[in-house]
Coordinates of all heavy atoms in Angstrom, one line a residue:
K515 N -4.0 28.5 12.3 CA -3.2 28.2 13.5 C -2.5 26.8 13.3 O -1.3 26.7 13.7 CB -4.2 28.1 14.7 CG -3.5 27.9 16.0 CD -4.5 28.3 17.2 CE -5.6 27.3 17.2 NZ -6.5 27.5 18.4
V516 N -3.2 25.8 12.8 CA -2.6 24.5 12.6 C -1.4 24.6 11.6 O -0.3 24.1 11.8 CB -3.6 23.5 12.1 CG1 -3.0 22.2 11.6 CG2 -4.6 23.2 13.2
T517 N -1.6 25.3 10.5 CA -0.6 25.5 9.4 C 0.7 26.2 10.0 O 1.8 25.8 9.7 CB -1.1 26.2 8.2 OG1 -2.3 25.5 7.7 CG2 -0.1 26.4 7.1
K518 N 0.4 27.2 10.8 CA 1.5 27.9 11.4 C 2.3 27.1 12.4 O 3.6 27.2 12.5 CB 1.0 29.2 12.1 CG 2.1 30.1 12.6 CD 1.5 31.3 13.3 CE 2.6 32.2 13.9 NZ 2.0 33.4 14.6
K519 N 1.6 26.4 13.3 CA 2.3 25.7 14.4 C 2.9 24.3 14.0 O 3.8 23.9 14.6 CB 1.3 25.5 15.5 CG 0.8 26.8 16.2 CD 1.9 27.4 17.1 CE 1.5 28.7 17.8 NZ 0.5 28.4 18.8
L520 N 2.2 23.6 13.0 CA 2.7 22.3 12.7 C 3.3 22.2 11.4 O 2.7 22.5 10.3 CB 1.4 21.3 12.7 CG 0.7 21.2 14.1 CD1 -0.5 20.3 14.0 CD2 1.7 20.7 15.2
R521 N 4.6 21.8 11.4 CA 5.4 21.8 10.1 C 4.8 20.9 9.0 O 4.9 21.2 7.9 CB 6.8 21.3 10.5 CG 7.7 21.3 9.3 CD 9.1 20.9 9.8 NE 10.0 20.6 8.7 CZ 11.3 20.2 8.9 NH1 11.7 20.1 10.1 NH2 12.0 19.9 7.9
L522 N 4.1 19.8 9.4 CA 3.5 18.9 8.4 C 2.3 19.4 7.8 O 1.8 18.9 6.8 CB 3.2 17.5 9.1 CG 4.3 16.5 9.0 CD1 5.5 16.9 9.8 CD2 3.8 15.2 9.5
R523 N 1.7 20.5 8.3 CA 0.5 21.2 7.7 C -0.6 20.2 7.5 O -1.1 20.0 6.4 CB 0.9 21.9 6.4 CG 1.9 22.9 6.6 CD 2.3 23.7 5.4 NE 1.7 23.4 4.1 CZ 2.1 23.9 3.0 NH1 3.1 24.9 3.0 NH2 1.6 23.6 1.9
P524 N -1.0 19.5 8.6 CA -2.1 18.5 8.4 C -3.4 19.1 8.1 O -3.7 20.3 8.5 CB -2.2 17.8 9.8 CG -1.6 18.8 10.7 CD -0.6 19.5 10.0
K525 N -4.3 18.4 7.4 CA -5.6 18.9 7.0 C -6.5 19.0 8.2 O -6.5 18.1 9.0 CB -6.2 18.1 5.9 CG -7.4 18.7 5.2 CD -7.8 17.9 4.0 CE -9.0 18.5 3.3 NZ -9.4 17.8 2.1
L526 N -7.3 20.0 8.3 CA -8.3 20.2 9.4 C -9.7 20.0 8.8 O -10.1 20.7 7.9 CB -8.2 21.5 10.0 CG -9.2 21.8 11.2 CD1 -8.9 21.0 12.4 CD2 -9.1 23.3 11.6
M527 N -10.4 19.0 9.4 CA -11.8 18.6 8.9 C -12.7 18.7 10.1 O -12.3 18.7 11.3 CB -11.8 17.3 8.3 CG -10.8 17.1 7.1 SD -10.9 15.5 6.3 CE -12.4 15.6 5.4
T528 N -14.0 18.8 9.8 CA -15.1 18.9 10.8 C -15.9 17.6 10.7 O -16.2 17.1 9.6 CB -15.9 20.1 10.6 OG1 -16.6 20.0 9.3 CG2 -15.1 21.4 10.7
I529 N -16.3 17.1 11.9 CA -17.1 15.9 11.9 C -18.1 15.9 13.1 O -17.9 16.7 14.0 CB -16.3 14.6 12.1 CG1 -15.4 14.6 13.4 CG2 -15.4 14.3 10.9 CD1 -14.8 13.2 13.7
S530 N -19.1 15.0 13.0 CA -19.9 14.8 14.2 C -19.9 13.2 14.3 O -20.6 12.6 13.6 CB -21.3 15.3 14.0 OG -22.1 14.9 15.1
A531 N -19.2 12.7 15.3 CA -19.2 11.3 15.5 C -20.5 10.8 15.9 O -20.9 9.6 15.7 CB -18.1 10.9 16.6
K532 N -21.3 11.6 16.6 CA -22.6 11.2 17.1 C -23.6 10.9 16.0 O -24.3 9.8 16.0 CB -23.2 12.2 18.1 CG -24.4 11.8 18.8 CD -24.8 12.8 19.8 CE -26.1 12.4 20.6 NZ -26.5 13.4 21.6
D533 N -23.7 11.8 15.0 CA -24.7 11.6 13.9 C -24.0 11.2 12.6 O -24.7 11.0 11.6 CB -25.6 12.9 13.7 CG -24.7 14.1 13.3 OD1 -23.6 13.9 12.8 OD2 -25.2 15.2 13.6
G534 N -22.7 11.0 12.6 CA -22.0 10.5 11.4 C -21.7 11.5 10.4 O -21.2 11.2 9.3
R535 N -21.9 12.8 10.6 CA -21.6 13.8 9.6 C -20.1 13.9 9.3 O -19.3 14.0 10.1 CB -22.1 15.2 10.1 CG -21.8 16.4 9.2 CD -22.2 17.7 9.8 NE -21.8 18.8 9.0 CZ -22.0 20.1 9.3 NH1 -22.6 20.4 10.5 NH2 -21.7 21.1 8.5
H536 N -19.8 13.8 8.0 CA -18.5 13.9 7.4 C -17.5 12.8 7.8 O -16.3 12.8 7.5 CB -17.8 15.2 7.7 CG -18.5 16.4 7.2 ND1 -18.3 17.7 7.6 CD2 -19.5 16.5 6.2 CE1 -19.1 18.5 6.9 NE2 -19.8 17.8 6.1
V537 N -18.0 11.7 8.5 CA -17.1 10.6 9.0 C -16.6 9.9 7.8 O -15.4 9.5 7.7 CB -17.9 9.7 10.0 CG1 -17.1 8.4 10.2 CG2 -18.2 10.4 11.3
G538 N -17.4 9.7 6.8 CA -17.0 9.0 5.6 C -15.9 9.7 4.9 O -14.9 9.2 4.4
R539 N -16.0 11.1 4.8 CA -15.0 11.9 4.2 C -13.6 11.8 4.9 O -12.6 11.8 4.3 CB -15.4 13.4 4.1 CG -16.3 13.6 3.0 CD -16.9 15.0 3.0 NE -16.0 16.1 3.5 CZ -16.4 17.3 3.7 NH1 -17.7 17.7 3.5 NH2 -15.5 18.2 4.2
V540 N -13.7 11.8 6.2 CA -12.5 11.7 7.0 C -11.8 10.4 6.8 O -10.6 10.3 6.7 CB -12.8 11.9 8.6 CG1 -11.6 11.5 9.4 CG2 -13.1 13.3 8.8
L541 N -12.6 9.3 6.7 CA -12.0 8.0 6.5 C -11.3 7.9 5.1 O -10.2 7.4 4.9 CB -13.1 6.9 6.5 CG -13.4 6.4 7.9 CD1 -14.6 5.4 7.8 CD2 -12.2 5.8 8.7

Side-chain angles (χ1 to χ4, degrees):
K515 185 166 65 173
V516 168
T517 301
K518 181 180 178 182
K519 293 287 182 69
L520 299 177
R521 181 175 168 183
L522 268 64
R523 301 184 353 189
K525 191 170 184 180
L526 177 67
M527 304 182 73
T528 60
I529 61 169
S530 170
K532 189 174 182 180
D533 61 26
R535 178 182 174 183
H536 297 166
V537 169
R539 278 173 35 187
V540 166
L541 279 178

